[in-house]
Amino acid sequence: MMLLTMLLAVAVFILLAFFRATLLSWLLAVMVIVPVVAIQARLSDTALQAIYLLLFLLLAIFGVPVLRRKLVSGIVLKVFRKILPAISSTEQEAIDAGTVWWDGELFSGHPNWEKMLAYPKCGLSDEEQRFVDNEVEELCAMLDDWDITHNLADLPADVWQYIRERGFFGLIIPKEYGGLEFSAQAHSAVIAKIASRSGSAAVTVMVPNWLGPAELLLHYGTEEQKEKYLHRLARGQEVPCFALTGPFAGSDAGAIPDYGIVCKGEFAGRKDVPGIRLNWEKRYITLAPKATLLGLAFKLYDPDGLLGSEVNRGITLALIPTDTQGVAIGRRHFPMNSAFLNGPTEGRDVFIPLEYIIGGVERIGQGWRMLMECLAAGRSISLPASSVGGMKMAARTSGAYCRVRRQFNMPIGQFEGVEEALARIGAHTYMTDAARSFTALALDMGEKPSVVSAIIKYHSTERGRIVVNEAMDVHGGKGISLGPDNYLGRSYQQTPIGITVEGANILTRTLMIFGQGAIRSHPYVLKEVAATREVDPDKAQHLFDDALFGHIGFALSNAARSFVFGLTGGRGIPVPRDVVCRRYYQQMPRFSSAFALSADLAMAVLGGSLKRREKISARLGDVLSLLYLCSATMKRFADDGRPASDLPLVHWAMQDALYKMQQALSGVIQNFPNIFVRAMLRVLIFPLGKRLMPPSDKLGHEVAALLMQPGEVRDRLTYGMYIPDDEQQAIGALEAALLSTLECEPLQAQLHAARREGKLKAMEELQRIFEARDIGLVTADQALLLERDYALRRKVIMVDDFASEELGVRQS
Ligand SMILES: Cc1cc2nc3c(=O)[nH]c(=O)nc-3n(C[C@H](O)[C@H](O)[C@H](O)COP(=O)(O)OP(=O)(O)OC[C@H]3O[C@@H](n4cnc5c(N)ncnc54)[C@H](O)[C@@H]3O)c2cc1C
């Protein structure tokens, strides 16, 4: 009887936690359950009286808000104030920058799918679509990536002119300034399409629309600055660049040694002009060698108090015409055989007037925050779009190549080993593209989601790296031999660029995604931190009490939900009307609760040291990121009208991500530096062990088959990439060869059989085709088809060769 009561009591507590019951409900439950258990335990009268007294005290302390704030949350607030790790001003500005979007839902342990599915459908306006179909298509047709990267080490003059004149540098600039004022979705589509043709051209278009002077001016520029520069930038009359990084400040960009001293100087023939004397040394600056307008980040000091009493004025941004006296620019770095312009810039005692500060003197010292805000927007679009452009190209060409290329008398894509690679290529491309447009949607909804921008930057470039690596493997020597007919080699070489820029990936994964997310996207932590900073003691106590008890309820609820869903595998969770994906909609909340629980425990137990525990932080970030990618995949599938033919891609991507979530959480538990928490998490999150499996071989086979088959799935997967219809070009020939291979397959089988039976004697394939025609085995038209098929396959299979001189080899 006693055991039954205890079990019932535990069940009631789990239910209270599960449904996030109010504090009052908890108190009532304790008031009823504890006496019942005590009576059943036949305790002495004195013990019972002591328990009643304790319960009364508990009721008074927790049930009367004034007492609770004094005796519980007030004391915790004091402890919090002491132990809260110091947050540097740059970290604080990064945390404050941007907004919380779907990441907040994923942190809640209870994502609202109806809300996500009700977000507008991703798409372009008619005007934007026309631009993609015409101007972008034409630009792509003009691009010859081999010529650009090997011969010219730059875009040809007519391409530069086309880009500038057709407004490619003004994608984000409003129409009132002569720009195209495109949505984030369209901006992303433009970059993705160009990237599927030429990485160098994509970067050239990308940078002015990304973290460039235009974005900064639009948000923070004075009216005069906007009028002066935005028209010119939109028309491509200015080539902008932005310089933050230097030799001694890379990832730790807040530590830039570049400085400016407020002073008076001579400028444009005027004396005693209030301004800044600048010294900087920057490197890796994209477009710098050709830039006419240099955005510069530096630390400003005012030792003579010309602007006020504060000497150290903080990171400040200025816009400097590159013909200003003392600006040194023009030499080039050579990033992985890319031809986009990139190089160092230097300035020694360069005098600029105060009007050059972006946003004017009011914006002095706000540079870091300005960069963080703009970074979130740009990082959400440019690198994801360029990665996805490359992935689509790799997916489409790999599928076709694996069908056309035969070894051991079979298309190589039918070998199980190659199928595995194709499955990863297809499913990662599907999921990353979903996340790309989901994130662009956030921007179009007016969000600036900083945590999401880090997630998408990291995962799009990492998955891009996986896909291009796999594509290289399945292409064998064809991928390795560079030349005009190699569509993969440059993409492969340039992959580390996306990995490194905009927050190098190791840092992004280990420090930024969860590091920022834990504070930024968590429903209570930021409120608690804000309460500790509140100066009015009464207000601070109220705020903190609300946040603390909200947080406790949240944590208990996540513990209960993790445990219950761990037992059921998420079964029973109500899901949106989606018959085929309902299990995913159930598994994601399970992991969302488990993630929120682990995140809370990690913060509570490890406190400030979590910052240094990058491996734990990274794994928690992985779970959050994978939940985000899975959400985007569900949204894409729903937006596309849930086509059944896409299901192998959806299933593979989702099952892979869910399995990886399980492994990441398991890694957190296994490495948690506290044995008690380790044991507790294991029971609460995996009460029945780790039961999810990676996608099956059969599913991988289905995905690979879809990639090798022309049709709607392959077209949807690679929608938006540039496909030349010219058979003289490598990808054009490959497309034609795929169709021709399939068309000629029955004829090839006929020829093969005839050869085995000794009816065809010629040693060479072409000769055999003629022989077959001559003996009436195939008609003249069929022979022509076979002949064309042979020529196309040969074009696809052959690689470029060069005379030594063409490769620039010097004779010794
Ligand atoms: C082609 C190219 C174009 C660029 N364009 C521009 C531009 O236009 N403007 C501009 O200002 N900058 C630009 N950059 C600079 C770019 O943003 C930096 O390269 C980047 O910030 C990394 O700095 P770093 O190369 O000095 O690497 P480092 O900072 O030296 O990092 C080296 C490694 O250490 C890791 N790391 C560093 N700190 C941590 C940490 N706390 N935890 C875990 N890992 C860590 C990094 O992830 C990285 O893997 C460009 C760079 C390249 C290569």
Side-chain angles (χ1 to χ4, degrees):
M1 182 67 180
M2 177 70 183
L3 183 68
L4 192 68
T5 315
M6 294 290 273
L7 283 174
L8 249 160
V10 171
V12 169
F13 288 136
I14 290 180
L15 277 175
L16 286 171
F18 189 97
F19 291 108
R20 216 178 282 185
T22 57
L23 186 56
L24 199 65
S25 315
W26 276 97
L27 287 172
L28 284 175
V30 171
M31 293 301 143
V32 174
I33 290 169
V34 174
V36 170
V37 173
I39 292 166
Q40 280 193 357
R42 297 178 198 284
L43 298 181
S44 68
D45 285 354
T46 329
L48 278 177
Q49 277 164 7
I51 286 174
Y52 291 147
L53 184 66
L54 266 175
L55 287 176
F56 174 74
L57 280 175
L58 198 74
L59 186 64
I61 293 171
F62 284 93
V64 182
V66 190
L67 283 180
R68 188 178 67 226
R69 285 196 291 272
K70 271 255 155 326
L71 300 174
V72 185
S73 47
I75 294 172
V76 181
L77 174 61
K78 282 188 191 137
V79 178
F80 245 64
R81 280 187 167 133
K82 279 203 188 109
I83 62 165
L84 204 68
I87 300 179
S88 69
S89 61
T90 43
E91 279 173 312
Q92 186 60 50
E93 289 189 41
I95 288 166
D96 291 343
T99 59
V100 176
W101 185 59
W102 184 248
D103 43 326
E105 289 285 331
L106 297 175
F107 237 107
S108 73
H110 208 346
N112 181 344
W113 301 119
E114 299 294 352
K115 179 174 157 188
M116 181 192 79
L117 293 172
Y119 287 157
K121 220 170 140 173
C122 309
L124 309 189
S125 70
D126 291 347
E127 183 197 353
E128 293 167 341
Q129 191 63 54
R130 268 198 307 278
F131 187 82
V132 173
D133 293 342
N134 297 303
E135 279 84 348
V136 185
E137 183 82 8
E138 193 172 334
L139 171 64
C140 288
M142 292 167 78
L143 299 170
D144 174 348
D145 199 46
W146 175 251
D147 194 38
I148 290 169
T149 55
H150 184 71
N151 301 322
L152 303 174
D154 192 357
L155 302 181
D158 60 333
V159 169
W160 269 106
Q161 194 183 345
Y162 188 84
I163 286 175
R164 289 164 134 178
E165 284 177 355
R166 297 304 170 107
F168 281 85
F169 283 170
L171 297 178
I172 60 165
I173 297 178
K175 290 201 162 118
E176 58 173 308
Y177 298 107
L180 291 170
E181 200 176 350
F182 276 178
S183 62
Q185 207 69 248
H187 180 178
S188 173
V190 170
I191 301 294
K193 185 162 185 167
I194 304 174
S196 71
R197 178 70 162 166
S198 162
S200 300
V203 174
T204 306
V205 171
M206 192 159 112
V207 167
N209 289 296
W210 171 19
L211 180 62
E215 174 87 355
L216 290 163
L217 282 177
L218 278 171
H219 287 94
Y220 311 104
T222 61
E223 284 313 311
E224 294 96 290
Q225 288 171 339
K226 288 184 189 172
E227 276 302 321
K228 184 171 176 191
Y229 287 121
L230 287 176
H231 297 276
R232 294 180 57 75
L233 284 165
R235 288 196 295 267
Q237 289 163 338
E238 300 279 0
V239 176
C241 69
F242 192 85
L244 171 65
T245 309
F248 298 98
S251 300
D252 186 10
I256 42 173
D258 316 284
Y259 66 96
I261 305 287
V262 181
C263 61
K264 289 191 175 169
E266 197 177 324
F267 192 77
R270 287 180 292 143
K271 291 210 160 94
D272 282 341
V273 176
I276 304 169
R277 196 159 297 287
L278 280 168
N279 282 281
W280 73 87
E281 185 186 13
K282 304 283 192 184
R283 65 175 180 179
Y284 305 151
I285 310 307
T286 304
L287 292 191
K290 208 179 178 106
T292 57
L293 205 53
L294 166 71
L296 189 77
F298 56 91
K299 286 187 177 155
L300 186 65
Y301 299 91
D302 183 16
D304 299 331
L306 296 179
L307 297 175
S309 55
E310 222 178 316
V311 175
N312 184 348
R313 307 296 296 235
I315 293 181
T316 301
L317 313 180
L319 213 50
I320 307 170
T322 53
D323 57 7
T324 305
Q325 197 181 0
V327 177
I329 212 160
R331 288 183 66 78
R332 289 180 64 172
H333 301 305
F334 190 25
M336 306 299 288
N337 283 332
S338 293
F340 65 84
L341 303 175
N342 183 278
T345 161
E346 211 180 67
R348 291 274 161 256
D349 292 329
V350 177
F351 182 81
I352 59 162
L354 289 177
E355 300 95 82
Y356 281 13
I357 294 172
I358 299 178
V361 283
E362 298 99 86
R363 292 281 176 191
I364 285 177
Q366 295 181 19
W368 191 251
R369 189 184 180 127
M370 289 155 72
L371 286 176
M372 287 302 114
E373 299 233 351
C374 290
L375 204 68
R379 192 168 54 188
S380 300
I381 300 176
S382 300
L383 291 168
S386 56
S387 292
V388 164
M391 289 165 92
K392 287 184 176 177
M393 185 271 290
R396 196 166 178 102
T397 54
S398 298
Y401 186 78
C402 288
R403 190 69 186 75
V404 173
R405 172 72 168 159
R406 295 175 78 90
Q407 288 294 283
F408 304 98
N409 211 19
M410 263 196 9
I412 56 167
Q414 286 173 4
F415 294 112
E416 290 203 351
V418 176
E419 260 184 4
E420 273 194 331
L422 283 178
R424 284 191 283 268
I425 292 174
H428 287 327
T429 302
Y430 184 92
M431 186 172 245
T432 314
D433 194 25
R436 173 197 65 84
S437 54
F438 190 50
T439 310
L441 173 72
L443 298 178
D444 286 333
M445 287 168 65
E447 303 286 345
K448 282 191 170 179
S450 47
V451 175
V452 162
S453 79
I455 292 177
I456 186 70
K457 187 273 161 175
Y458 175 82
H459 287 273
S460 63
T461 52
E462 285 298 333
R463 283 169 183 243
R465 166 150 69 181
I466 295 172
V467 165
V468 77
N469 273 341
E470 303 283 11
M472 286 293 284
D473 282 3
V474 302
H475 276 76
K478 169 83 183 163
I480 287 160
S481 309
L482 290 173
D485 277 350
N486 185 331
Y487 39 81
L488 275 178
R490 289 297 193 228
S491 219
Y492 171 78
Q493 288 178 328
Q494 291 160 15
T495 293
I497 298 174
I499 302 282
T500 301
V501 300
E502 285 296 304
N505 274 9
I506 296 180
L507 168 108
T508 301
R509 173 171 178 255
T510 54
L511 207 68
M512 290 168 73
I513 296 178
F514 181 73
Q516 271 182 33
I519 301 181
R520 195 76 185 85
S521 316
H522 191 289
Y524 294 102
V525 168
L526 210 54
K527 290 182 189 154
E528 286 160 343
V529 174
T532 62
R533 300 208 173 125
E534 176 56 53
V535 275
D536 175 348
D538 208 37
K539 199 170 165 199
Q541 275 195 6
H542 270 86
L543 288 174
F544 192 74
D545 185 72
D546 282 352
L548 179 71
F549 282 95
H551 196 159
I552 293 172
F554 173 71
L556 287 173
S557 153
N558 283 320
R561 287 168 62 87
S562 295
F563 181 66
V564 173
F565 297 155
L567 290 174
T568 65
R571 284 182 185 82
I573 300 177
V575 299
R577 249 180 289 133
D578 185 337
V579 187
V580 276
C581 293
R582 53 181 296 117
R583 285 294 291 131
Y584 304 140
Y585 282 111
Q586 293 178 327
Q587 281 156 333
M588 286 190 280
R590 176 197 167 190
F591 282 114
S592 173
S593 298
F595 161 72
L597 169 70
S598 329
D600 265 334
L601 279 172
M603 284 188 279
V605 176
L606 301 175
S609 76
L610 185 55
K611 250 168 122 181
R612 289 188 303 277
R613 301 221 178 237
E614 291 193 342
K615 293 176 195 166
I616 295 216
S617 182
R619 291 189 187 101
L620 286 167
D622 288 346
V623 183
L624 179 64
S625 304
L626 289 163
L627 280 167
Y628 182 77
L629 297 186
C630 285
S631 309
T633 303
M634 290 295 90
K635 169 79 175 142
R636 171 185 178 164
F637 185 58
D639 281 358
D640 285 351
R642 301 190 170 100
S645 48
D646 279 0
L647 276 173
L649 290 162
V650 175
H651 286 317
W652 200 103
M654 292 297 288
Q655 289 171 21
D656 173 68
L658 286 161
Y659 174 74
K660 284 180 178 151
M661 262 184 240
Q662 168 186 278
Q663 299 309 99
L665 272 173
S666 164
V668 172
I669 297 172
Q670 192 188 332
N671 293 285
F672 208 93
N674 176 305
I675 190 167
F676 173 70
V677 176
R678 229 169 23 232
M680 188 167 81
L681 280 177
R682 195 164 285 136
V683 171
L684 288 176
I685 296 178
F686 297 118
L688 301 179
K690 290 180 278 166
R691 301 171 70 89
L692 293 185
M693 292 292 157
S696 67
D697 291 352
K698 184 170 167 288
L699 190 54
H701 166 78
E702 289 171 30
V703 174
L706 288 175
L707 258 63
M708 291 191 287
Q709 182 67 37
E712 48 157 354
V713 179
R714 185 167 173 266
D715 289 345
R716 243 191 323 266
L717 180 68
T718 58
Y719 177 77
M721 74 168 268
Y722 177 73
I723 306 169
D725 54 13
D726 173 5
E727 287 178 15
Q728 295 312 308
Q729 294 187 32
I731 294 182
L734 184 54
E735 285 288 307
L738 174 63
L739 296 176
S740 151
T741 299
L742 295 173
E743 191 183 3
C744 291
E745 223 160 36
L747 294 173
Q748 291 287 7
Q750 237 177 295
L751 256 56
H752 194 66
R755 195 177 177 206
R756 253 201 334 254
E757 291 159 13
K759 292 185 193 156
L760 294 177
K761 306 238 171 352
M763 299 300 288
E764 290 179 18
E765 186 171 345
L766 258 188
Q767 298 306 322
R768 271 198 302 280
I769 295 172
F770 301 144
E771 194 182 357
R773 181 196 55 200
D774 293 345
I775 64 169
L777 194 65
V778 296
T779 64
D781 284 349
Q782 287 172 331
L784 278 176
L785 277 183
L786 286 165
E787 224 183 305
R788 177 170 174 272
D789 180 53
Y790 173 77
L792 283 170
R793 272 188 292 117
R794 194 175 157 77
K795 165 88 180 151
V796 165
I797 288 161
M798 296 308 285
V799 299
D800 302 286
D801 47 42
F802 302 88
S804 291
E805 307 84 75
E806 288 178 275
L807 294 176
V809 175
R810 275 191 231 113
Q811 301 301 327
S812 52

